[in-house]
Amino acid sequence: MTEQTTTLLKSSRKRRFAAFIIDHFVLSFLIVSICFLALGPDFIDKASTGKITSLPWIMSLGFLLYLLKDSIRGISIGKWAMGIMVRDENNPNQIPSTGRLFLRNLPFII
């Protein structure tokens, strides 16, 4: 039995940027859609602020989703569309830990 070695190539900046833009628009649309669904169609007409006070919690969950977007097999929607994936720097055959992927995406929120 022979061991098969795979050579992984580094993706170009254009492909990574395109993946970032796709991820940003898809996740932003998802977060905004969830917020509007949670508030309901008549949230502007009501004097009650009960639903609006839950908005920060909903947005926090959306930001958490944004930070963990690469956690499933190192691929997000944009990376899948562009045919790229995140791999560990020291071992290209492994996906980085969830904590490393979280920290990797943290500057995008800031």
Side-chain angles (χ1 to χ4, degrees):
M1 197 182 293
T2 61
E3 185 176 320
Q4 200 174 26
T5 58
T6 307
T7 305
L8 298 174
L9 302 175
K10 207 172 190 185
S11 178
S12 68
R13 287 185 186 202
K14 290 179 184 178
R15 291 178 78 84
R16 289 184 290 176
F17 184 72
F20 169 75
I21 294 297
I22 292 169
D23 285 336
H24 180 73
F25 280 111
V26 168
L27 290 172
S28 295
F29 178 77
L30 183 66
I31 292 168
V32 169
S33 298
I34 291 171
C35 288
F36 277 115
L37 286 173
L39 292 174
D42 57 347
F43 74 95
I44 293 175
D45 297 335
K46 290 186 177 181
S48 172
T49 59
K51 289 183 179 180
I52 294 177
T53 56
S54 66
L55 191 60
W57 290 105
I58 296 167
M59 290 185 69
S60 297
L61 289 173
F63 286 129
L64 184 64
L65 175 68
Y66 195 88
L67 291 171
L68 296 173
K69 65 183 164 86
D70 300 325
S71 295
I72 300 172
R73 296 186 346 203
I75 302 173
S76 63
I77 294 170
K79 286 178 183 59
W80 174 77
M82 297 308 297
I84 60 177
M85 57 185 68
V86 180
R87 291 293 175 226
D88 195 343
E89 182 179 23
N90 299 325
N91 187 356
N93 295 324
Q94 289 187 347
I95 302 165
S97 68
T98 304
R100 285 189 69 157
L101 290 171
F102 180 85
L103 291 175
R104 177 183 182 273
N105 291 325
L106 191 60
F108 295 129
I109 297 293
I110 297 169

